[in-house]
Amino acid sequence: MGTLEIKLSKSFEKDKSKTTVALEDVELTVKDGDFLCIIGPSGCGKTTLLRLVAGLDEPTSGNIALDGKRIMGPDSRKGMVFQEYSLFPWRTVIRNVSFGLEMQGKEKEESNEIARRYLKLVGLEQFETSYPHELSGGMRQRVAIARALANNPEILLMDEPFGSLDAQTRNALQIELLDIWKKEHLTILFVTHSVDEAVFLADKIAVMSRRPGKIKEVVEVELERPRDRTSPEANRIRTNILKKLEKERKGD
Amino acid sequence: MIKRTINFFKNRNIEIASLIGLIVIWQLVADYVVQRTLFLPSFTEVISALVRIIETGVLFTDIQTSLLHFGIGIGSALIVGIPIGVIMGWFTLGNRIFDPIVEILRPIPPLAWIPFALIWLGLTHTAAGFVVFVGAVFPIVINTYTGFKSTSRIYVEAAKVLGCVRDRDLISKVAFPSSMPSITAGIRIGMGVGWMCLVAAELFGVSRFGLGYKIWFHYSLHQMDFVLTYMLILGIIGLLIDKGFRFVVDTYLLKWRKGVVV
Ligand SMILES: Nc1ncnc2c1ncn2[C@@H]1O[C@H](COP(=O)(O)OP(=O)(O)OP(=O)(O)O)[C@@H](O)[C@H]1O
Ligand SMILES: [Mg+2]
């Protein structure tokens, strides 16, 4: 299960005189099993929103509930793939993936077995004894995804996970991610800059406004899966969202 | 193996030639220019002194004694220094408690502690170890602290969302391994300083053996060939300790950093 209800505001206080309102009255519901993409201009608070859902930060007002229970801090029910590379460089690939299982107190044998299963899922089973510095950027993000999944989270938070990758790797990983999402029955909250990526992946796309960030509109993407990136319907939805973003950029 | 040894010498031909050149010049200067063992013992005199202390076995007792002093000092510096560095680096309150103490004690030269070492601990191995400890502990504290302070936030947060939330776990699973390069660098510096403190620590007759003690013992007899021999042995063992430590660190502790440009 992984139904998420968000209703909050968040501001950062630098000193007494200066506060940045990052998110203002953000309301969003993500249903169990949904794939929701968040898209919006840089600096509108997308990372901040994910960090709040992960429990790494607290809202200034309002709250977030996962399956009706208020989120009080980070735990293994919420998995996260970060915008930057976040693998532990001192651990081999398999020990990165089994990190969360180790923390749950699982036996080494058992956690290795589970970790291997998820490495296989992302197609990296032959790299289990490599260190992160021996992997390419795309491989690292795949390991990061495997690491988040191995903990069996109810909701997976992904902050522009493919942002630094080239277009081909990116497309391949998108297809992989959709496979995993279907197999593992996950709820995914996915931040991206790319309209193309959002239209290819999401059930719903939440378009955010400029700072202070609000959810401006949630667009349903009613396209058959597997999707064709070049179909006229996909094009139509893309154009529609690009227009909204352009309007947001101009600021009215 | 033999091939590797040959290759090693082939690749180091300039370094070896440089050392041989130094020895030749040294021998010539000692024999024909200085001509007095008191001022400059020659290479051959040093070698025969070396043979003497090896034959009588006294060298090995000296090395053992010095390594004992060194081991006591470095061991206690690790046991005390790393936890203090960890507390200072991880807990703000810990930093505020320890920082003033460390900053006041740190500038005191380790050798200035010798009188108190002797009063507190008497003429014992532990007293010599204490002086080594004072020399080694501050670089270890400071580097552990720096390593912990510069633990990347992204690793801490990644660990938190994987269910690693208690300070104890974050310290042992994230901050400690990520600070390993800095901590081991601190240990290396600490060992270097500690080794230098050793000679002074042994001056005061905490034992009738020890590499440092022997330098002063032979000096008092004006046997400068033995003095120089012990000096060179101090240098060589110091070098070996450093090389050995680096080897262990690179192959076991920091294997994950291979390929990182430092
Ligand atoms: N810890 C912080 N302290 C102060 N201000 C912050 C902090 N974190 C974020 N902000 C501010 O909140 C706003 C939103 O930042 P956030 O990182 O969420 O943007 P973003 O939408 O993820 O941007 P991008 O697309 O460039 O990654 C920014 O104006 C930023 O300056
Ligand atoms: Mg961001």
Side-chain angles (χ1 to χ4, degrees), chain A residues 42-48 83-84 159-160 191 193:
Chain A
S42 182
C44 72
K46 304 183 294 294
T47 299
T48 306
Q83 195 166 1
E84 315 92 313
D159 192 0
E160 300 189 39
V191 167
H193 266 129

Side-chain angles (χ1 to χ4, degrees), chain A residues 12-14 20-23 40-49 51 57 83 159-160 191 193 208 211, chain B residues 153:
Chain A
F12 293 101
E13 199 170 322
K14 246 222 164 85
T20 318
V21 182
L23 297 168
S42 182
C44 72
K46 304 183 294 294
T47 299
T48 306
L49 183 59
R51 285 171 48 83
D57 209 340
Q83 195 166 1
D159 192 0
E160 300 189 39
V191 167
H193 266 129
M208 285 184 75
R211 209 179 65 211
Chain B
R153 200 182 72 167

Side-chain angles (χ1 to χ4, degrees), chain A residues 87-113:
Chain A
L87 293 182
F88 305 125
W90 57 88
R91 285 180 165 242
T92 56
V93 165
I94 189 156
R95 297 203 60 229
N96 259 286
V97 178
S98 64
F99 183 86
L101 304 162
E102 226 174 85
M103 292 317 302
Q104 291 172 21
K106 285 211 163 65
E107 291 290 318
K108 196 167 180 156
E109 299 259 311
E110 193 191 353
S111 35
N112 276 350
E113 198 180 307

Side-chain angles (χ1 to χ4, degrees), chain B residues 23 28 48 58 60 72 88 95 99-100 161 170 184 193 199 201 203 205 239-240 243 250:
Chain B
I23 290 171
L28 293 176
S48 63
V58 69
F60 304 103
I72 293 172
M88 286 175 70
N95 187 26
D99 186 61
V161 293
L170 285 170
T184 51
V193 178
V199 181
L203 283 192
L239 179 75
L240 288 179
K243 285 267 184 237
D250 287 345

